Amino acid sequence: QAIALLGDIGRENDFKLDKIFGSHKDPARGNNLGMVSWQGTRRKNLEKFLSKRGLLNADGTIQRSEEAMKAQVEFAKLEMENNKRWKKGFLDNKDISIEKARDELGGAGSYFGWAKGQTTIRKADGTRVSFDSGAQESKANAYSKTAEIVVKEENKNTISGRTPINNQAEKIVNS
């Protein structure tokens, strides 16, 4: 789960800190915030969640800290737990393959809700522009593959096979 989730987080923002802790324009839906590119009501809920923890800056960006990163992950998990589709399709499916997870995380009504399978996207003004969903899918898969390689390498370097990366990812997903 964590590896698939990292793939889609990377697809959303290329792990650029200014996007993980800030906002960027979505051609179809306005301003996104944070590592999952939350928007609309979900963005407002994230802002309240972070604000209560003192992790939202006065300019609307997210504090650049490990605590703020963990809070974003915690918020994502809470969202998934409170949505039957996301909970059943992804969160409760501990042995989900990356391919199946990609289906649960992307597309209409999915957690990330990106334009998976589409060749155009609607801009805010209603016009349509070209969109290469295949390239986006490939990017997510590449980020997941990189995460797999890092975890495998970390596992080789420990006697127990348990690393801080494994432990943190499992703690987040299983807590």
Side-chain angles (χ1 to χ4, degrees):
Q1 286 175 314
I3 287 171
L5 197 56
L6 283 170
D8 265 293
I9 291 169
R11 182 196 53 73
E12 282 291 328
N13 58 49
D14 292 308
F15 295 107
K16 293 181 179 174
L17 294 180
D18 62 326
K19 291 183 178 180
I20 290 172
F21 296 105
S23 65
H24 66 279
K25 290 261 186 211
D26 179 313
R29 300 184 184 212
N31 285 322
N32 296 341
L33 180 67
M35 67 180 192
V36 174
S37 298
W38 284 282
Q39 52 193 236
T41 302
R42 292 174 68 199
R43 178 189 172 131
K44 288 178 179 152
N45 291 339
L46 173 67
E47 289 170 335
K48 289 177 195 170
F49 184 85
L50 295 171
S51 186
K52 286 180 184 176
R53 288 158 180 76
L55 299 171
L56 193 65
N57 298 322
D59 65 358
T61 60
I62 300 168
Q63 196 178 88
R64 287 190 184 205
S65 68
E66 183 177 346
E67 183 182 0
M69 179 69 75
K70 287 178 180 178
Q72 288 185 72
V73 172
E74 182 184 348
F75 180 79
K77 186 169 185 250
L78 287 170
E79 279 192 314
M80 287 183 195
E81 287 174 336
N82 290 300
N83 179 293
K84 288 179 185 176
R85 176 183 171 184
W86 302 339
K87 185 173 185 333
K88 181 180 178 190
F90 180 76
L91 196 60
D92 288 346
N93 194 349
K94 302 295 183 209
D95 296 321
I96 195 168
S97 69
I98 289 174
E99 295 77 23
K100 179 66 177 156
R102 196 75 63 235
D103 290 339
E104 293 297 331
L105 294 171
S110 68
Y111 184 71
F112 284 91
W114 67 277
K116 183 177 179 181
Q118 296 181 22
T119 57
T120 63
I121 56 172
R122 182 183 42 80
K123 290 174 45 177
D125 67 5
T127 61
R128 298 203 67 86
V129 293
S130 256
F131 180 74
D132 187 351
S133 66
Q136 293 291 308
E137 186 90 15
S138 293
K139 184 169 35 166
N141 288 333
Y143 279 120
S144 287
K145 186 68 173 168
T146 299
E148 277 184 314
I149 291 166
V150 169
V151 169
K152 285 178 184 174
E153 194 60 35
E154 287 290 316
N155 285 342
K156 283 187 209 175
N157 294 327
T158 63
I159 295 171
S160 68
R162 303 301 307 154
T163 68
I165 291 171
N166 294 130
N167 293 337
Q168 185 64 27
E170 285 186 6
K171 181 180 177 187
I172 289 167
V173 170
N174 294 325
S175 64

